[in-house]
Structure formats: structure tokens, C-alpha cells
Amino acid sequence: MAGTGGPVATFSVWDYVVFAGTIVSAAGIGLFQAIRGRKETSSAEFLLGGRQMTAVPVAMSLTASFMSGITVIGTPAEAYRFGAAFWLFGFSYAIMSAITAEIFVPLFYRLGITSAYEYLEMRFNRLIRLIGTSMYIVQTALYTGLVIYAPALALNQITGLDLWGVLVATGAVCIVYCTLGGLKAVIWTDVLQMVIMLAGFVAVIARGAVLQGGLTKIWQDAAEGGRLDAFDFDPDPLKRHTFWTIVVGGSIMWTSIYSINQSQVQRYISCKTLGHAKMSLYVNMVGLWVTVSLAVFSGLTMYSIYKNCDPLSNGDIGTPDQLLPYLVMDILAAYPGIPGLFVAAAYSGTLSTVSSSINALVAVTVEDFIFPLCKNLTQKQVTWLNMGLSKLCYFQPPLFCLKANTTILLTFYFSLQAALSIFGMISGPLLGLYLLGMLFRTTNSIGGLSGMIIGLALTLWVGIGGQIYPPTDEKTKPLSVSTSGCNNSQSNTTASPWTSPVTLTQQPDFRPPIADSWYSLSYVYFSLFGMLTTMVSGLLLSMITGKVPLKELHLKGTQASEGTEKASTDLHMGVDNLAYTDIDVMSKESEKATKL
């Protein structure tokens, strides 16, 4: 009987068929795009889809890129253990979409850049550009490795596949459509994978509603278990999730992800007009709302079923990330192919994120490191370079960081929190650097670089310290669970025990006083903290080191309008880069028209 604990069934033949069909379909899209665009082999075509994409597929790709396998298995576990507060990120998505669409998209789109970090050289200097690119590469390597590794553990528990077999399978599929089809293949594959992810959530909710007697019963159980108490207006920044930490801190965190992260920037600048680029962000906002709503309700469904028998406390599973896979095999094993659909959903989330990361890593590597050194490459050489880097960019970062990601999972316990913390600690200071350049004309290179280093150091200090000395339950507020309804005598010979090779870390014997204040800062505030410290210290150091005479930058950009092709335009920005000292000064009229 579902919800009473004990071993559960494993994959059937039809589950493998559905799962394999998803993989083949993803690879097939890459082959189709490669055949369709075999005559268009330019770097712009490979990395930016020829800048001819439309809003809806780009929006679905934007959503799928960071709605990874960690989201599929992590968000329901979050709602099960801590309640529906995670749904408040819907407010953050709305604020993030408006900021990105109205401030950052016009800037990057009109500059006509391929790498988001080209702006840093235009505004400051080449050294800062290379440092920004390097920070992105490190962040993406850690995140991509975690995205592959965490769902692979859960998948390994269901199918019995070797962990390395799952990693290699992920790489093989991603390499096929990333190498052959470029960004177009990645975007259209993301569309398919987004549909599969949502279908997986719907299958879990529908079956749970049937077992529990309707959606109303699930909602009632969640309310009685305290899972619907989402609106906590306590301003304490040390509490893990409150209305303010999620709406304020979450808005800055997601802005840092969508506004300056190459994986996202590369998508919306691939749109054929500025209007399509902006629209993709707003359609993406709706997609994020739908995804997080289904994921949170899946967690509430899981609580309704396991309210009297928590699988984690009962020893049926080893980590929270295994909660949803365990539920799927518990309630859907009687329907051949449906568990395969769920695993395909988790796997699709992984594929979409990994493929996005591969394509973005290729773009920044080529634009920021190779092109400045090798300026005479032929078009054919560039094409082969892009395809070769697509292969290298899969295997090197995730495998290099596999050991690190094991350590991350040991310390963070929740892979979802681990992923968002990585973004917060690295993207926050980088966002602060961009805002210094965009909003304050007096910021110089010394102040910008020093401010970012200070912000990064402080953010890493509080973030890593918080993992060595985790916040107490008083700050994290885990909700109560029960094992009173578990049937421990139940037996099933079709499955192996649901245990994990990950062993949870224990609280250290010595806990310094700073652990209950500085180290207990909510992980959602990491990005905001990094951004503010970077901006404040950057401005102060710019004032101390002296104002560098500002030059006027006269760039040929691309300005888009609805229904028309992009035309070149003049963009005015203050710069602190001697490489641009000979560029003409713009007229006052043009300055007023393009001033941020």
C-alpha cells in the first residue's frame, strides 16, 4: 500500500522504452537541425542561431536551462520538508524578468555581442573581462557537475544503472546535438524537455489526487501539517526562508542568473528583434510560475501520502533528493511507462542545463580567450573549433568537479540549496561589477576590480562558513514528520534498499559564536550581500584612487524594432579603457537618446 514505507518496485521494460525514447528524441532534434542548417556553418549560426530565433522557443529554453534535474527532484523535497514558502519565488521571477528585460536586454542586444563579458572590457579593461569570464567558467563547472551528479544518484537508485554510465550517457546525448546543431538544436531540444518535465509533475499530482481522494484532500493535509504557512514577514536575515529573504534576496539572485549569465544572455540575444528578446523574458516568467507551482504542489502531494510515514525517517531512503523518485516508484509502478516518464523528466532537466552550459562555455572560450589571440582563423577553422570545444566542455568541467560536487552534497544536504548557493556566492559580486559600470560613471577599473574581489571574498567567507557550521533548526525551521503509520513488516523482493553513498556531515563539536550570526545568513541573501559589498567598496575605492577622465564610446551596435531588421546605432557609455581613447565622441543629442 502506498504511503506505508518499505521497499518499492524497480523499472519495467516499458519504463526503459519511454526513457530511451526521450534520449533518442533529444539526439534526433540535434541531427535534424544539423541537416537543416548544413549550409550555414558560421560562428554566429552555431553560437547564436543566426540571431533569427523567436520569443516562444527562446522563452521555453530560458525556463528549461535553470529548471534542471535538481529542480525536478529538489523543489518537491523542499516543499515536503519546509512547506510551500518556495512558491514565493514567483514574485522574484516577476521582478527579475522586468529588470532583465528593460535594463540588461537592450544593453546587450544593441551592443551586438556574443559574450556577455565583452561589456566589461568596453567599460573597464581586458583584465576585468578575463576575470569575469573565468568566474563564470568556474561557476558553470561547479553547477553543471552538480546538475549531472545529484540526479544521477537518484536515477541510479531507480534503474540500477552505474553512476558513471549515467554520466557518459548524458555526455553522449548532449555532445550529439550541441556539436551538430549548435544553439538552435539546444533551444528546440529544451522545448521538448520542458514539456516532458511538466508532464512528469502532472503525472505525480494526478496519481496522488486519485489515491488521496482529490486535490482538496491534498490541500487540507498540507494545511494541517503546516505546509501552507508560507507568508512569514519576519525581517530576520538569518532565517532560511521568509517573505523578505525570498522576494528581496531571491529577486537579486535570479537577476544575477538571468541578466549576466552567459547561458541566458546567449539565448535572448539570439532573437531576431529586440521586441522578441524582451518578450522571451516575460513568457519565460510565466513558464517559471507554472514550473515552480507544479513542483511545489508535487511536494504537497508527497506530504499528503507520507504524512504518517516519512520515508527518510523510516530509513527507506538516504537523502531528501530521493523522496520524489521513491514516491514515483511507490505510486506509479503499476502503470508501465509512467515511472519512465518521470525519470525522463528529471533526465530532461539535466540535459537542458548541461547543453545550455556547453554552448555557453564554447561561446565565452572562443570570444574571450581564442579570438583575441588568433584573429586570422578561417570560417572552417572556427566551425571545427566550436565543435571540438563542445566535446571538451562537457567532459572537463563536470568530471573535474565531481569530487568537489560530492563534497558539496555532503555539506549542503539539499542539492537545490547547493545549486542556488553557488550562483549567489559567485554571480552576486559579478552583478555588482556590472551595475557599477552601468549606473556610476565615476567608477574606475581599480575600484571595480577591487570591489569585486572584496565582495567575492566576503561572500565566499560567509557561504563556506555556513556550510562548515550549518544554521540551527531554529533558523531553518524544518516541519515535523511522522513514522507512526509505517508498516515495517512489509516486504518486497523486487527492489534493493533505497540507500545513498552520500553520508551526511555532523555538526562540529566546537561552534564559534560567529556561527550563529555571520555564518547563519540565509543562502538566498548571498547574491544581494555580494552585490552590495562590491558596489559600496568599488565606489569608495574609486573615490580614493581618483577619478579617471571618462572617454566617450562610439560603438556600432544593433538596434532592433518590431517587424524590422536590426540597424546599426550609436551607443554612449562612459569607459575607463585606454584602448578606446581614439574613438569619436558622440553628439549631445545621441547621448540623451541612449543614456541608461
Side-chain angles (χ1 to χ4, degrees):
M1 180 180 176
T4 57
V8 293
T10 54
F11 255 29
S12 67
V13 174
W14 285 108
D15 294 324
Y16 283 105
V17 170
V18 172
F19 180 57
T22 304
I23 299 176
V24 172
S25 299
I29 291 177
L31 292 173
F32 172 76
Q33 290 295 339
I35 295 172
R36 183 183 180 187
R38 60 186 179 276
K39 295 181 180 179
E40 302 171 344
T41 57
S42 67
S43 181
E45 178 69 25
F46 186 87
L47 298 176
L48 298 174
R51 298 184 189 267
Q52 291 299 312
M53 301 303 298
T54 55
V56 175
V58 170
M60 296 185 72
S61 180
L62 285 169
T63 304
S65 295
F66 285 102
M67 294 293 109
S68 63
I70 290 178
T71 301
V72 175
I73 64 175
T75 305
E78 170 74 27
Y80 173 87
R81 196 70 183 91
F82 296 96
F86 200 85
W87 182 85
L88 295 177
F89 274 106
F91 294 106
S92 303
Y93 299 149
I95 297 172
M96 169 275 295
S97 298
I99 294 174
T100 305
E102 303 304 329
I103 297 178
F104 287 91
V105 171
L107 173 66
F108 291 138
Y109 194 87
R110 288 169 178 155
L111 286 175
I113 59 178
T114 298
S115 167
Y117 310 102
E118 292 178 52
Y119 170 79
L120 296 178
E121 182 175 2
M122 297 174 182
R123 177 59 178 87
F124 298 108
N125 56 43
R126 178 159 178 76
L127 174 62
I128 293 181
R129 172 183 178 178
L130 294 179
I131 292 175
T133 302
S134 300
M135 289 174 62
Y136 167 75
I137 291 174
V138 171
Q139 171 191 275
T140 303
L142 287 171
Y143 176 68
T144 304
L146 183 63
V147 163
I148 296 173
Y149 187 65
L153 286 177
L155 182 60
N156 173 262
Q157 296 298 324
I158 296 177
T159 65
L161 292 175
D162 181 74
L163 179 63
W164 284 97
V166 175
L167 296 177
V168 172
T170 304
V173 176
C174 288
I175 285 173
V176 167
Y177 66 79
C178 286
T179 301
L180 298 179
L183 184 66
K184 278 187 178 179
V186 172
I187 288 178
W188 284 109
T189 305
D190 285 348
V191 172
L192 170 66
Q193 291 161 351
M194 186 66 197
V195 172
I196 295 174
M197 278 192 285
L198 297 180
F201 286 136
V202 170
V204 170
I205 295 172
R207 179 57 180 163
V210 171
L211 290 176
Q212 298 304 105
L215 298 177
T216 304
K217 174 61 176 173
I218 293 174
W219 192 261
Q220 180 181 348
D221 289 340
E224 293 175 354
R227 264 64 185 175
L228 300 184
D229 299 333
F231 290 89
D232 180 1
F233 292 97
D234 188 343
D236 184 1
L238 306 184
K239 294 184 71 172
R240 184 173 181 266
H241 282 170
T242 66
F243 178 85
W244 303 114
T245 58
I246 292 178
V247 173
V248 178
S251 297
I252 300 301
M253 180 184 69
W254 283 105
T255 298
S256 72
I257 293 174
Y258 272 82
S259 61
I260 61 171
N261 188 289
Q262 176 66 23
S263 299
Q264 306 299 70
V265 173
Q266 192 170 339
R267 274 155 180 71
Y268 53 69
I269 64 175
S270 71
C271 290
K272 59 184 181 181
T273 67
L274 179 58
H276 275 277
K278 287 185 176 183
M279 183 58 65
S280 69
L281 265 299
Y282 291 117
V283 176
N284 161 72
M285 176 184 68
V286 177
L288 292 174
W289 285 345
V290 172
T291 304
V292 75
S293 297
L294 290 176
V296 168
F297 203 85
S298 295
L300 300 182
T301 301
M302 183 159 52
Y303 174 75
S304 180
I305 294 174
Y306 292 131
K307 60 182 180 292
N308 295 321
C309 183
D310 175 42
L312 190 60
S313 302
N314 197 45
D316 298 319
I317 58 176
T319 65
D321 287 339
Q322 294 174 2
L323 277 165
L324 190 61
Y326 180 85
L327 172 70
V328 168
M329 298 310 301
D330 194 13
I331 68 176
L332 292 172
Y335 301 88
I338 302 300
L341 176 65
F342 164 76
V343 175
Y347 198 77
S348 293
T350 297
L351 288 177
S352 65
T353 302
V354 173
S355 61
S356 301
S357 299
I358 290 174
N359 204 257
L361 285 172
V362 171
V364 297
T365 301
V366 171
E367 292 291 330
D368 296 338
F369 291 104
I370 296 179
F371 276 175
L373 299 177
C374 306
K375 300 180 180 180
N376 298 320
L377 294 175
T378 65
Q379 189 59 59
K380 186 174 182 179
Q381 288 174 324
V382 172
T383 300
W384 283 105
L385 180 64
N386 288 331
M387 296 175 70
L389 285 174
S390 295
K391 299 181 180 70
L392 181 63
C393 285
Y394 168 74
F395 286 106
Q396 187 172 359
L399 301 188
F400 175 77
C401 297
L402 188 58
K403 207 75 166 161
N405 289 320
T406 305
T407 305
I408 290 172
L409 287 175
L410 287 172
T411 57
F412 277 89
Y413 193 44
F414 280 93
S415 61
L416 182 63
Q417 179 177 333
L420 296 179
S421 296
I422 290 172
F423 281 117
M425 287 186 283
I426 299 179
S427 290
L430 199 54
L431 176 63
L433 179 63
Y434 273 86
L435 292 178
L436 275 175
M438 294 168 63
L439 303 180
F440 301 96
R441 297 172 61 86
T442 56
T443 306
N444 58 35
S445 297
I446 297 175
L449 178 59
S450 302
M452 184 180 66
I453 293 175
I454 293 172
L456 181 63
L458 290 176
T459 308
L460 290 175
W461 178 23
V462 68
I464 296 174
Q467 306 319 310
I468 298 175
Y469 303 101
T472 61
D473 288 349
E474 181 183 357
K475 299 300 182 184
T476 58
K477 298 292 184 182
L479 299 175
S480 61
V481 293
S482 173
T483 57
S484 61
C486 295
N487 181 11
N488 294 320
S489 63
Q490 184 177 347
S491 62
N492 189 327
T493 60
T494 61
S496 58
W498 283 72
T499 57
S500 170
V502 176
T503 304
L504 301 180
T505 55
Q506 302 295 323
Q507 285 276 3
D509 295 332
F510 172 73
R511 187 175 178 85
I514 197 175
D516 294 320
S517 53
W518 178 255
Y519 292 156
S520 293
L521 181 69
S522 171
Y523 75 96
V524 189
Y525 274 139
F526 288 170
S527 189
L528 176 64
F529 176 70
M531 182 195 74
L532 291 178
T533 52
T534 296
M535 294 181 69
V536 172
S537 56
L539 284 172
L540 290 176
L541 288 170
S542 293
M543 295 169 59
I544 293 172
T545 56
K547 178 181 176 182
V548 176
L550 294 175
K551 309 301 179 182
E552 302 296 339
L553 180 61
H554 183 202
L555 291 174
K556 289 296 182 180
T558 52
Q559 185 172 19
S561 60
E562 291 289 350
T564 62
E565 294 184 353
K566 298 189 294 290
S568 62
T569 185
D570 293 331
L571 183 67
H572 171 268
M573 301 187 315
V575 298
D576 177 33
N577 185 351
L578 297 179
Y580 292 95
T581 54
D582 295 330
I583 298 176
D584 294 334
V585 177
M586 295 184 58
S587 65
K588 293 182 179 180
E589 292 77 15
S590 180
E591 178 179 350
K592 293 178 180 178
T594 59
K595 186 176 179 181
L596 286 172

